[in-house]
Amino acid sequence: MRSWTDILLQCGVRPETAALWGPVFVDTIKDDTFSSPKDLPDFLGQILHESNMLEKMEETRNYSVTRMMQVWPGRFPTAESALP
């Protein structure tokens, strides 16, 4: 069985970052974490994409007015409401 560090390395995560996060994945992701084994690759792909390969842990919140209206149409229905 491969370690999480090895899996992260194969996904393209930097070695230092994989070494840091591999043990966290071991402690956090258990056999019953996902309802289906098919969910794990989707989860891993999403988390690696959203975190820039585990390098960014905070949302940048650098959205254009147009993008804010697309992502949160109920909260920002108009450009004027998204400007502040």
Side-chain angles (χ1 to χ4, degrees):
M1 179 180 222
R2 293 182 301 168
S3 71
W4 268 109
T5 301
D6 291 338
I7 292 168
L8 294 173
L9 288 169
Q10 285 193 324
C11 289
V13 174
R14 288 184 326 116
E16 300 84 9
T17 305
L20 176 70
W21 284 100
V24 175
F25 278 50
V26 168
D27 290 342
T28 306
I29 300 174
K30 305 299 180 193
D31 289 341
D32 63 349
T33 299
F34 299 99
S35 58
S36 167
K38 296 186 304 183
D39 294 338
L40 181 58
D42 292 339
F43 167 79
L44 189 56
Q46 187 69 30
I47 197 170
L48 292 177
H49 172 75
E50 293 284 337
S51 67
N52 192 29
M53 304 303 276
L54 299 174
E55 297 294 329
K56 302 286 183 188
M57 297 299 122
E58 294 180 8
E59 181 72 45
T60 63
R61 291 182 246 155
N62 188 18
Y63 292 95
S64 67
V65 168
T66 302
R67 185 65 180 145
M68 288 173 68
M69 292 169 54
Q70 291 170 340
V71 174
W72 300 286
R75 187 168 186 175
F76 303 109
T78 66
E80 292 76 27
S81 65
L83 282 173

